[in-house]
Amino acid sequence: MKTIVARILSLNDAAMAEAADIIKNGGLVALPTETVYGLGANALDEAACAKVYAVKGRPSDNPLIMHISDVAMLDSIAKNVPPMAEKLIQTFWPGPLTVILQRKNVPRGTFLDTVAVRMPKNPIALRLIDLAKTPIAAPSANLSGRPSPTTAGHVLRDLSGKIDMILDGGPCEVGLESTVIDCSGDGAPVILRPGSVTREMIEGLIGPVGMATEAAKDEAPKSPGMKYRHYAPEAKLTVVVGEAEKVRAKIQSLATDTEKIGIMATAESAYYYKHKNVLIMGDSHEAIAANLFDMLRLCDEMGLEEVFVEGVAEEGLGVAIMNRLKKAASYNILKV
Ligand code: AMP
Ligand code: MG
């Protein structure tokens, strides 16, 4: 199959209608969202969703998020939406917050009685859902386990020839997957995956919420996605955390081979390293989030064997950044 790549400069571009037809006919279209690129399929078409799993190599017990363009669409897939979820939806949609609700009529992930729903903010994503007239299931458009794609080029590298079309809307604004919050139970909602809608933002609106910790090896994870290794480059990754000066000194002392070893540093400390392969992550949590997956992919393109990453403070958006980094490093964390 030849994958069509269409750069979208206007929402009225003919490629938008073409993409919607592909979705309606059970095909796969990668689309930009404000978080990462998604691999879109008609969420109510079981065969189309099965293709998503096959193409990504996604474990079948890891359910998909349904993307909608209008709160009214929620009625077709979820029921008993609690008042706290209503509040979150009113405040953070469209945006990078996925809400887990009780399921209604959704064929995929039928082993669960819940469904994950989000209304993305990216206008291309919203228009595509509108034109296709169906919720679109859209997990990250990468091969399972690889860093999530934040540009159309990343999608093409992983899925060229395997999907019908890629809508290129430029680089993603946020760069990390949505925050996932479980509002399907009777108790306080629980954040299952941190993202750019932070715990502080959520608690400021609805009061205290839970935060799922990573499941221990033999424990069932709260969210199926939590048990898999994710976001990983080929290189061995070590996240170094602690006071900035000590972190730099530690990395200096460990990164002895300047050819095969890389360093992912904040803009502030990149200046201190004399190594050849210093990847500058950015100077704010927002910039680091937006660059993170691209840098992890770059590590592979540069043929690096080992990479040391400076950890960031685990507050606000830093919680989500560290969550992805820890998984990418298979929890290989060095505290100094
Ligand atoms: P992604 O691969 O970025 O689309 O990830 C979707 C995340 O949402 C994964 O961690 C899934 O396990 C999680 N998820 C989707 N549906 C549900 C659900 N009904 N209950 C709990 N977690 C879910
Ligand atoms: Mg993913």
Side-chain angles (χ1 to χ4, degrees), residues 305-317:
E305 286 174 8
E306 187 165 12
V307 178
F308 293 95
V309 190
E310 293 183 345
V312 302
E314 285 186 82
E315 53 197 32
L317 182 55

Side-chain angles (χ1 to χ4, degrees), residues 94-133:
L97 181 73
T98 296
V99 182
I100 310 272
L101 298 165
Q102 290 177 24
R103 182 177 63 87
K104 189 162 109 186
N105 302 328
V106 182
R108 197 64 208 182
T110 38
F111 49 89
L112 290 171
D113 48 16
T114 56
V115 65
V117 196
R118 163 169 118 82
M119 189 194 296
K121 199 171 173 185
N122 182 298
I124 297 173
L126 288 171
R127 178 59 67 86
L128 181 66
I129 301 164
D130 262 351
L131 291 172
K133 298 188 171 59

Side-chain angles (χ1 to χ4, degrees), residues 36 56 58 61-65 67 98 100-101 109 112-117 138-140 142 148 177-178 180 182 192-193 222-226 230-231 327:
V36 302
K56 278 180 60 73
R58 184 177 175 100
D61 62 351
N62 192 7
L64 307 175
I65 295 174
H67 293 72
T98 296
I100 310 272
L101 298 165
L112 290 171
D113 48 16
T114 56
V115 65
V117 196
S140 49
N142 54 331
S148 296
E177 302 83 350
S178 60
V180 177
D182 187 352
L192 301 181
R193 177 172 74 185
K222 298 269 183 328
S223 177
M226 290 168 78
H230 259 113
Y231 320 119
K327 287 189 178 184

